[in-house]
């Protein structure tokens, strides 16, 4: 289960002892993500749900400004954006247009985002501290693979068990994995699989086309003792329509995820090689109902959103948030689990 130090290593080069309580106790509790547990939900073009293990901001449309107006602009697709190399200075502008089955991202900044996994571009690997270039490259690839499995894999999106993503997690994170499994088996406010995975109810909606738009960035650093730390911050935009094949309405759900992951050197720690350790995760989920806690994102469609704008009595005491504003800080909350419903400004 762990790589033993080679016999010719000097005492100085020998792997360090495991820290006290590495697998149990306070040190492990910090590492399994409980140090930053938070989730938030926004409902409607103008909604936000916050939940934790580490943080979810769910933006749910209710009482919203109707941005689904007729597209009088050119049908030409805008040029794709270059890679995001740093924190944006503000929110992007809203292009003209409205979502259709042919152009589900029209009227959204996501139309200029990259397609799917192509939008997850790790930085070039380089040696850092005691970690080699190869170790860094492996950590970056593991992080990307996890994001793809958790947020882009068709089986995960259909609400199936995210087996590929779960297989990438370091099994020593017993508390995190137990919580995730509990959420998949019986979702609820305390155990919500949406904290780590993007899931939709296949009996309610289906994807429009096969493309999810993706934008974000990834960085890496070193923690002491042969640990590569990776910080990932990505937004995923999902185009959806109702399950009925005759449906012409299109709704977009916007999920922003922040993930702080680590890969431990198996020559120094008792870990399974090639697995990812999640230290912190947070998410904003935009355009979903505030009331549901069944482990699925429930997008609100234009007609329903307008109706809710007049009659919805849901308490949306949470903040008003632009789900496309990637300049906002996300997920650095306290350890308390809390949930509130807010408002998003657009989808």
């Amino acid at each position: 289960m762990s790589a033993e130090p080679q016999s010719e290593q000097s005492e100085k080069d020998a792997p360090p002892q495991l820290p006290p309580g590495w697998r149990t106790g306070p040190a492990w509790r910090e590492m399994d993500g409980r140090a930053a547990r938070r989730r938030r939900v926004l409902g409607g073009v103008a909604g936000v749900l916050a939940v934790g293990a580490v943080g979810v901001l769910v933006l749910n449309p209710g009482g919203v400004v109707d941005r689904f107006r007729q597209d009088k602009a050119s049908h030409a697709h805008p040029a794709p954006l270059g890679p995001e190399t740093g924190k944006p200075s503000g929110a992007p502008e809203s292009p003209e247009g409205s979502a259709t089955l042919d152009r589900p991202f029209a009227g959204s900044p996501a139309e200029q985002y990259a397609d799917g996994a192509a939008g997850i571009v790790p930085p070039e690997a380089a040696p850092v501290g005691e970690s080699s270039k190869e170790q860094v490259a492996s950590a970056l690839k593991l992080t990307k693979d996890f994001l793809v499995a958790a947020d882009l894999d068709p089986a995960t999106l259909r609400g199936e068990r995210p087996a590929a993503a779960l297989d990438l997690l370091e099994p020593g994170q017993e508390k995190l994995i137990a919580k995730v499994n509990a959420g998949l088996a019986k979702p609820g406010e305390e155990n919500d699989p949406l904290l780590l995975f993007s899931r939709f109810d296949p009996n309610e909606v289906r994807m429009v086309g096969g493309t999810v738009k993706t934008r974000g960035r990834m960085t890496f650093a070193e923690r002491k003792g042969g640990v590569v730390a990776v910080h990932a911050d990505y937004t995923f935009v999902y185009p959806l329509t109702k399950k009925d094949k005759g449906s012409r309405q299109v709704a977009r759900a916007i999920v922003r995820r922040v993930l702080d992951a680590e890969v431990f050197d198996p020559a120094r720690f008792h870990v399974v090689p090639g697995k990812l350790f999640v230290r912190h995760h947070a998410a904003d989920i935009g355009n979903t109902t505030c009331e549901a806690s069944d482990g699925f994102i429930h997008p609100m469609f234009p007609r329903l959103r307008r109706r809710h704008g007049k009659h919805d009595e849901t308490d949306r005491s949470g903040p008003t948030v632009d789900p496309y504003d990637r300049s906002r800080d996300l997920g650095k909350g306290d350890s308390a689990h809390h949930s509130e419903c807010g408002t998003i400004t657009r989808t």
Side-chain angles (χ1 to χ4, degrees):
M1 190 165 176
S2 65
E4 296 296 328
Q6 298 183 9
S7 58
E8 68 266 27
Q9 285 181 313
S10 67
E11 185 175 344
K12 179 180 179 181
D13 294 330
Q17 301 258 328
L18 291 178
W22 190 75
R23 289 202 177 267
T24 59
W28 185 257
R29 286 201 298 271
E30 177 188 359
M31 291 205 262
D32 74 7
R34 293 177 67 183
R37 171 172 289 185
R38 193 174 63 101
R39 171 186 170 189
R40 198 189 219 169
V41 186
L42 296 181
V45 182
V48 191
L49 170 80
V51 172
V54 189
V56 175
L57 176 67
V58 182
L59 313 172
N60 163 45
V64 307
V65 176
D66 186 5
R67 292 183 177 272
F68 289 82
R69 53 191 180 280
Q70 293 298 319
D71 186 358
K72 298 180 180 179
S74 167
H75 288 281
H77 290 269
L81 297 171
E84 185 176 281
T85 57
K87 182 178 179 179
S89 58
E93 294 183 0
S94 287
E96 292 295 320
S98 57
T100 65
L101 293 177
D102 292 331
R103 287 186 62 190
F105 300 103
S108 160
E111 197 164 32
Q112 292 184 275
Y113 290 3
D115 294 351
I120 304 176
V121 183
E124 183 177 353
V128 58
E130 301 177 59
S131 301
S132 67
K133 178 180 179 179
E134 290 71 25
Q135 288 173 311
V136 171
S138 176
L140 294 172
K141 182 179 184 302
L142 278 170
T143 303
K144 176 173 180 175
D145 289 347
F146 180 81
L147 290 170
V148 169
D151 296 287
L152 297 173
D153 182 81
T156 302
L157 300 183
R158 289 193 302 267
E160 298 176 19
R161 182 175 177 81
L166 291 171
D167 187 57
L168 292 171
L169 294 176
E170 159 58 40
Q173 301 172 99
E174 296 170 357
K175 296 191 179 195
L176 173 64
I177 292 175
K179 192 169 185 69
V180 168
N181 284 327
L184 291 169
K186 191 175 181 180
E189 288 187 6
E190 292 298 323
N191 295 310
D192 190 347
L194 295 179
L195 292 168
L196 273 178
F197 311 113
S198 296
R199 309 170 78 240
F200 300 90
D201 185 348
N203 295 314
E204 178 183 48
V205 296
R206 57 188 171 87
M207 292 284 294
V208 177
T211 300
V212 176
K213 289 292 189 176
T214 308
R215 184 160 183 79
R217 62 192 184 277
M218 192 183 300
T219 58
F220 65 89
E222 188 223 18
R223 281 207 324 116
K224 254 183 165 184
V227 180
V228 181
V230 179
H231 177 77
D233 182 341
Y234 286 89
T235 296
F236 303 90
V237 184
Y238 303 93
L240 302 140
T241 190
K242 295 179 180 179
K243 180 187 175 184
D244 302 335
K245 291 195 175 177
S247 175
R248 306 293 298 175
Q249 288 198 79
V250 177
R252 289 186 290 255
I254 305 96
V255 178
R256 181 181 170 194
R257 294 200 184 277
V258 170
L259 179 72
D260 288 304
E262 295 173 349
V263 177
F264 290 75
D265 183 352
R268 301 168 187 262
F269 295 90
H270 294 304
V271 295
V272 178
K275 301 295 183 181
L276 201 65
F277 190 97
V278 176
R279 178 171 288 277
H280 172 272
H281 59 99
D284 278 11
I285 303 178
N287 190 18
T288 186
T289 57
C290 289
E291 298 81 6
S293 297
D294 59 357
F296 295 121
I297 299 169
H298 295 280
M300 296 184 71
F301 288 81
R303 290 176 191 167
L304 180 61
R305 209 166 37 241
R306 284 194 290 269
R307 186 162 66 248
H308 275 224
K310 293 182 180 179
H311 305 295
D312 188 11
E313 297 180 356
T314 301
D315 177 17
R316 290 192 173 82
S317 57
T320 297
V321 172
D322 181 350
Y324 291 101
D325 184 1
R326 293 187 41 78
S327 68
R328 294 184 298 115
D329 290 329
L330 174 64
K332 295 298 183 182
D334 57 24
S335 61
H337 174 98
H338 66 276
S339 176
E340 61 181 342
C341 183
T343 301
I344 52 174
T345 59
R346 55 178 170 173
T347 65

